[in-house]
Structure formats: C-alpha cells, structure tokens
Amino acid sequence: LPLLSLLSLLSPRGSAASSCPSGCVCASNLLSCSRANLSTVPSPLPRFCSVLDLSHNNVSRLRGDWAPARLPHLHTLLLSHNGLAFVSTEAFGHVPRLRHLDLSSNRLRALDENLFSALGELEVLLLYNNEISTVDRTAFEDLARLRKLYLGRNRIARFPLELLREGSRLPQLALLDLSANRLRSVPSTELQALPAWLRDRLYLHDNPLACDCPLYQLLARGHRRHLSAVVDFQEELRCFPQGAATAVTVLGAAGKRLLNCSEAKEAVLEAHLGDSVTLGCDSRWQGVRSRHWVTPAGDKVAAGDSGGNGSVALLANGSLELRELRAEDAGTYACWVSGPAANETLYVELLVHNFTLHGPHDTLNTAYTTLVGCILSVVLVLIYLYLTPCRCCCCRGGAEKAAGPRDDSINSSVLSTTPNHGEHGGGRVPEGQAGGPGQNGRFKGGGTPPLPPRQGPKAQRKVSDPDSVSSVFSDTPIVV
C-alpha cells in the first residue's frame, strides 16, 4: 500500500488531477477552460500544460502577470471569443515556446509596438474578426518562424507591405489573410514581384478596392496560374469603378470590357542582342525536389548541364541564365518543377530585339538618320539656289564712271563656249567682222545686238545673247 500511494503521487495523472483548476478539464497535457464563464485566467496553471483553451469566456484584459510562473511546454494558447480589448506587451514573456496563438473574434483595435516580439517560435497567429485599424510597423518584429498570419475581418485601410517586402521581417511567411478589411488600393506591381508560393496564399477578397489595370493584371495572372487565393474567391474579388457606387468583379466586368486593359501575360522578358538575362522559375511549391528547363529548340537543361558553348546554365535557385544572347535564342522556355504535392510547368517567353542596346551605331536609329539626311539635303539645295554669291553688274561710287569694255557676262561660264559680248568703245561691232572677241580668244559667228545708248547717269546694262545656250553644269564646248 505505501508503494502504491507513492506511485500515484508521482504519476502524471495524479499530479494533473491534483493541480487542475476548478471548472476546467485536464486531459494529460491539455487544459480546457472553454465556456467556464471566467473573467480572469485561472491560477495556478500546471507547468506541464502544452495546450491551454480559454476561449468563449469574459477575459477582457490580458496582463503581463496572467501566468505568474513560466510555462516552458505551452505551445498552443486559445483566447478567442473573450471580448478581449487589451493585451500587454509583456503578456507573452512567460510562454516563449508558443507556436499557435488564437486571438480571433475579440475587440482588439490596435497592434502595439513589439507586441509579439517575445514569441520567437510562433508559427500561426490568428487575429481575424477584431476591430484592428492600426498596425505598428514593429508589432511582428522578431517573428522569424511565423508562417500564417490571419488579419481578415478587421478595419485595416492601409496595406501592410512591410510584412512582405524583401522577406526580411517575416522570412517564412507563407499565408497572409487581409480579406474583408477596408483596403481601397494595393501595391499591385510590388505584389506581382512576390514569389508565386506567397501570392498563392495572399487573400484580398471582400475589400472596397478601386478598379484599375494593375489590379486586373495581378489577379488575371493569378487566375491563369490557378492560384487558390484568386480561383477560389474570384466572385468575392470585386472593385468599384470610378464614380460608381456598386462593385463589380475584377476578372469579369472590371476586366477588358470596363477598364480596356491589355491582356495579362504570364511571363514575358525582353532583351537585346549580346545581353545576359536570367529566366526565373516562379513555382507555387516550396520544397521543390528538382527542376529542369526545356529551350525553344527542344534541348533539356538540368543541374550541372550547360549548352551553347557555356552560354546556358541552370542556377542553384532554379533560374536559367542565358549569356551573350543571339537572335535564335528567342522563343518560349519551359521550366518543369517536381513539387512535394504535384508537378508544375512554367513558361517564359523571351523576346530578343535584333539590335544591341548600347552599341555605338544606335545613337540614332535608321529612320531618324534617314529623315535628318533628307532635311539636310533640302537645306543644301535651297542654300545653293538662293544664297549663292554672284558678281554685281553695276558698281556704285561717289562719282559715276562711263562703262568701259566688258569681258564678262552674267550668262557666260568657264565651262561654256558662249563668248562674252564685247564692246569697242561703246560702239557696235563692224559689219564686216565675223564676230567680236570672245572667251579664250574664240569668236562667235553673227553679230551681237548693239547695246542701247546710256541714258542719264546710269551705266549701260548688258543684253544677253538670245542665241547663247550656256549652263553652269556644262563642260563640253559647243562651237557654233
């Protein structure tokens, strides 16, 4: 009998029964105080407790001393449906091993600074169905293992992008629920850059979003990729057109018909000859076992393989690197992924422009160069026609001088055989002479009509020979 009594005192069942709070149910390492009409957390709590259920009570404030002793084994704490309106920043100092925390369906209005920083091992945090409108930027600091965060059915009006950007604050976050809040816009471009495995668990439905093309592109790509956050809630993904009071579905009425948005392509990459590019394999699966690529030519590129004289290589993260692009490298590349639950095939279309981006001959493109050449040609012709300097046939001075014999003509040229119209002392050429002296000692048959006598102070003007055919472009002598 003494031995049996000693064993009963040392057994876990006996210790649990002796330390189980009044009104609660203890089962092994589980402690359930649900629907016990509690206004405070019962005390003392057994140290062996690993799951504590305090849901559906009236615990409106969670102070820092709710657990006076350290609970090293507690990994699940359920506090939903309590009317909880205040949580101390020191409330979780005694439960550092907590992995699952349920604070849903309460009256929390703000998440204060460093509220959950003591929970370094927390993986699931439920905060849905509260009155949260303010989220401090440091509220989720040091939650390096947090995988699922539920913030749906609150009053959040600004998208907490800092939770996702660069993966530095919550590096293992795989699910973010922001549904049924007051979001009017989301950073669509930055969300599109997130890995597909996170976009597959980013819930944005039942928000009063404004309709725009970036939002449509984001959801259309998700629908094409069969992301569950889009496919399962496409009817609840609604937006308000500008000036409208009624919401429409983003993928339906707010798509091409209403917004006139361009087609949402899955992955299109543009490059130029000689560039080096990296094609990402944006899979929905984490923990991918293997990947390989298939080029447009049908060649398979796996880990350790290289093709095209070393110009193609598969990187450690599954991306495909292409160096020194050629025109024949353009086309559709396929990434084959073997995931933990299923396989997936991703397609990336590569467009290679048939010119280098930074080559010296690309300062002006061909069309622009042609246009400039045409304009310069026209300008040169106009300059030649209208701005060519010419010799003056008349000279004006202080005193007028009589016109002397002239050996030049405005119609003559060094390239023409047309003689100058000579004059002998202002008289006419003798009739018996075959012609007057001309250019280069040549003579022209036939006389030249006499010049009219000078009248007044002005000098006589030359008269062009109607029989002369001269041109500045002629270089062949013509003898008449």
Side-chain angles (χ1 to χ4, degrees):
L1 290 177
L3 180 60
L4 293 175
S5 300
L6 179 62
L7 291 175
S8 63
L9 290 175
L10 294 177
S11 65
R13 185 184 301 272
S15 60
S18 61
S19 58
C20 188
S22 177
C24 300
V25 178
C26 297
S28 183
N29 60 348
L30 306 180
L31 178 58
S32 175
C33 301
S34 179
R35 301 183 186 276
N37 198 24
L38 300 175
S39 58
T40 59
V41 179
S43 181
L45 295 171
R47 297 187 71 255
F48 63 83
C49 178
S50 61
V51 177
L52 176 58
D53 184 4
L54 294 171
S55 62
H56 296 276
N57 281 289
N58 298 316
V59 182
S60 60
R61 301 176 68 86
L62 191 66
R63 301 181 181 274
D65 58 352
W66 69 273
R70 186 180 178 89
L71 302 176
H73 303 290
L74 187 66
H75 61 74
T76 301
L77 176 59
L78 308 177
L79 283 165
S80 62
H81 298 279
N82 266 282
L84 193 63
F86 171 78
V87 177
S88 172
T89 55
E90 301 176 356
F92 306 107
H94 295 298
V95 288
R97 310 297 292 273
L98 207 61
R99 297 197 302 270
H100 186 104
L101 176 59
D102 185 0
L103 295 173
S104 63
S105 299
N106 282 294
R107 297 179 181 175
L108 297 176
R109 296 185 176 181
L111 301 180
D112 297 330
E113 179 181 1
N114 297 317
L115 181 58
F116 305 105
S117 297
L119 302 177
E121 298 185 11
L122 191 65
E123 297 179 2
V124 180
L125 178 56
L126 286 76
L127 290 165
Y128 64 86
N129 197 26
N130 274 278
E131 301 173 3
I132 300 172
S133 60
T134 304
V135 180
D136 190 271
R137 297 176 62 88
T138 64
F140 305 102
E141 211 55 69
D142 301 324
L143 298 185
R145 297 188 181 181
L146 187 65
R147 297 181 59 252
K148 299 180 180 180
L149 176 58
Y150 295 86
L151 288 168
R153 297 197 175 277
N154 278 285
R155 301 176 181 178
I156 300 174
R158 187 191 67 84
F159 187 90
L161 187 62
E162 60 273 7
L163 301 180
L164 305 175
R165 182 178 289 147
E166 300 175 0
S168 58
R169 180 158 301 181
L170 301 175
Q172 297 190 21
L173 188 65
L175 185 150
L176 177 59
D177 179 17
L178 291 169
S179 61
N181 274 279
R182 298 181 179 180
L183 299 176
R184 295 188 177 274
S185 63
V186 294
S188 303
T189 304
E190 298 189 50
L191 295 182
Q192 181 61 37
L194 295 175
W197 54 263
L198 180 53
R199 283 185 282 125
D200 192 28
R201 296 293 185 270
L202 177 60
Y203 298 95
L204 297 171
H205 55 276
D206 290 330
N207 274 285
L209 298 170
C211 296
D212 57 22
C213 284
L215 175 63
Y216 167 74
Q217 298 281 0
L218 174 68
L219 299 181
R221 291 190 182 99
H223 188 269
R224 177 174 294 185
R225 291 289 303 277
H226 303 286
L227 302 184
S228 59
V230 177
V231 175
D232 296 343
F233 297 94
Q234 56 182 323
E235 294 299 325
E236 289 80 11
L237 284 166
R238 307 174 72 84
C239 64
F240 288 86
Q242 185 176 7
T246 305
V248 295
T249 58
V250 179
L251 297 178
K256 293 183 180 180
R257 291 176 291 176
L258 180 62
L259 297 176
N260 195 24
C261 300
S262 60
E263 181 181 359
K265 296 182 179 180
E266 172 53 29
V268 177
L269 184 62
E270 297 187 27
H272 302 81
L273 291 178
D275 287 352
S276 296
V277 297
T278 301
L279 310 182
C281 189
D282 192 16
S283 175
R284 289 184 296 161
W285 306 113
Q286 288 182 285
V288 173
R289 295 194 297 267
S290 64
R291 288 186 179 94
H292 72 269
W293 285 82
V294 177
T295 66
D299 300 328
K300 178 180 177 180
V301 182
D305 297 342
S306 62
N309 298 325
S311 61
V312 181
L314 182 62
L315 303 180
N317 61 358
S319 300
L320 185 68
E321 183 181 24
L322 304 175
R323 296 183 291 271
E324 298 294 330
L325 285 179
R326 303 166 298 174
E328 53 267 27
D329 292 331
T332 302
Y333 291 76
C335 178
W336 297 74
V337 180
S338 178
N343 297 331
E344 187 179 12
T345 305
L346 307 175
Y347 298 95
V348 179
E349 183 181 356
L350 177 62
L351 304 178
V352 180
H353 296 292
N354 197 20
F355 58 89
T356 57
L357 182 60
H358 303 292
H361 60 279
D362 288 327
T363 305
L364 296 175
N365 57 40
T366 305
Y368 184 69
T369 305
T370 304
L371 178 61
V372 172
C374 293
I375 294 175
L376 289 177
S377 300
V378 173
V379 171
L380 290 176
V381 170
L382 293 176
I383 291 175
Y384 178 80
L385 292 178
Y386 295 101
L387 299 181
T388 303
C390 60
R391 300 177 181 177
C392 298
C393 60
C394 304
C395 296
R396 293 184 176 90
E400 290 290 344
K401 295 183 180 180
R406 300 177 181 266
D407 293 331
D408 59 343
S409 171
I410 60 174
N411 294 322
S412 64
S413 170
V414 294
L415 301 177
S416 175
T417 60
T418 305
N420 291 337
H421 307 286
E423 295 178 290
H424 298 276
R428 50 181 306 183
V429 180
E431 293 181 359
Q433 193 173 343
Q439 186 179 16
N440 299 328
R442 297 177 183 270
F443 294 89
K444 177 180 177 179
T448 301
L451 296 174
R454 186 181 64 180
Q455 295 179 0
K458 297 184 180 179
Q460 294 180 350
R461 300 184 59 175
K462 296 180 182 180
V463 179
S464 60
D465 188 353
D467 297 331
S468 174
V469 180
S470 61
S471 171
V472 293
F473 298 101
S474 174
D475 58 354
T476 304
I478 301 176
V479 180
V480 180

